[in-house]
Amino acid sequence: MKKTTFNRKITLLTLVSQSRGEPRETARATVWADVSEVGVTTKFAALGAGQSVSISVIMWKNEFKNYSHCELDGVRYKIVETGPAKNSLHIKWLLERG
């Protein structure tokens, strides 16, 4: 099995919509993750489902606590899909900007 290298620090966020204005942040955590661009096949499959996926993230499964967004290099991304990674100790998600 190929070893996963956690190459970047990301900030996980839980955002709750409010009746007006910006969503309210209710949780925040900074973790190490393997961040990479998604492949063409994944990108086009997501477009077919109405999503504009641009980044894939793999991190430790036990550090994921129902977060809705993450920040990477000052840019906020929405977690649109979560699923299993190659290792059962990890979780993989797909992110779209916004």
Side-chain angles (χ1 to χ4, degrees):
M1 179 179 354
K2 183 181 174 188
K3 186 176 179 178
T4 300
T5 303
F6 294 147
N7 57 3
R8 306 280 296 275
K9 276 190 175 182
I10 61 171
T11 302
L12 303 171
L13 305 167
T14 300
L15 301 177
V16 177
S17 296
Q18 299 188 80
S19 59
R20 285 180 263 154
E22 290 287 315
R24 182 173 51 96
E25 182 180 311
T26 60
R28 173 182 284 259
T30 301
V31 299
W32 283 96
D34 177 26
V35 178
S36 61
E37 299 286 326
V38 294
V40 174
T41 304
T42 302
K43 190 171 275 203
F44 282 120
L47 283 172
Q51 301 167 337
S52 179
V53 174
S54 56
I55 294 178
S56 170
V57 172
I58 297 175
M59 62 175 277
W60 292 107
K61 188 185 280 186
N62 65 346
E63 293 181 326
F64 184 73
K65 306 277 192 269
N66 295 322
Y67 293 101
S68 60
H69 293 75
C70 79
E71 287 182 353
L72 177 64
D73 298 330
V75 178
R76 185 172 287 172
Y77 294 89
K78 181 179 179 184
I79 301 169
V80 294
E81 188 174 324
T82 62
K86 293 178 185 176
N87 183 328
S88 63
L89 298 174
H90 298 150
I91 189 169
K92 180 179 182 178
W93 358 297
L94 299 176
L95 305 174
E96 71 179 4
R97 197 172 183 142

